[in-house]
Amino acid sequence: MIKTKQDLIRKVNEVVAASSVCPELKEVGFRYLEGAETDKEPELREELFKELEEDVCTLDMVIPFFESEAGAKVFGKEQAEMMTKIAKEKKAAGGKYCICPACTAGGEILDSRNEIEL
């Protein structure tokens, strides 16, 4: 659970460092990190949350892709099958976000955004 602005900054650093992060989220994440200790932080935080809502994938979005021919082409058949298995296990355990590092960290931010003490 992300409780403080420092927790948020650490988690945003995880998002932008992830190899799976999309360019748009990476850019917005870096903008947030650059302005986190300025008077622009509230505006940048809202921009970050909006971008996370657009880019973080749910398991319901990625499982069909992992199972598809396109997923097999992107990841290779064996890797796609393994990712499908892991994603389905995560979903069965109550998870809701994609298994990649960017979506995992981004999902934690989204789930905590109303609890962060700023």
Side-chain angles (χ1 to χ4, degrees):
M1 182 66 79
I2 300 166
K3 293 281 189 187
T4 67
K5 185 175 10 175
Q6 291 309 312
D7 293 338
L8 176 59
I9 289 169
R10 278 192 291 281
K11 199 54 70 171
V12 173
N13 274 303
E14 286 181 37
V15 171
V16 299
S19 61
S20 54
V21 68
C22 70
E24 298 84 6
L25 180 53
K26 188 172 200 156
E27 180 182 324
V28 170
F30 277 129
R31 267 202 310 270
Y32 173 79
L33 292 170
E34 289 171 2
E37 300 299 333
T38 71
D39 60 344
K40 293 194 176 265
E41 192 273 341
E43 166 188 327
L44 294 168
R45 181 176 3 100
E46 289 308 312
E47 181 183 12
L48 173 69
F49 292 160
K50 182 178 182 224
E51 193 66 35
L52 286 164
E53 288 172 352
E54 292 176 13
D55 296 337
V56 171
C57 296
T58 66
L59 290 166
D60 288 335
M61 295 165 73
V62 297
I63 289 171
F65 178 68
F66 295 160
E67 293 176 320
S68 72
E69 286 185 36
K73 285 181 183 176
V74 170
F75 300 111
K77 185 178 184 217
E78 288 179 14
Q79 181 72 18
E81 287 173 356
M82 182 175 63
M83 292 169 75
T84 299
K85 181 179 184 262
I86 293 168
K88 286 181 175 183
E89 288 170 355
K90 183 176 179 183
K91 184 175 178 178
K96 63 181 174 180
Y97 297 109
C98 172
I99 61 175
C100 81
C103 288
T104 299
E108 288 180 54
I109 295 169
L110 288 173
D111 286 347
S112 299
R113 68 179 153 187
N114 295 323
E115 310 299 321
I116 302 170
E117 299 167 12
L118 301 167

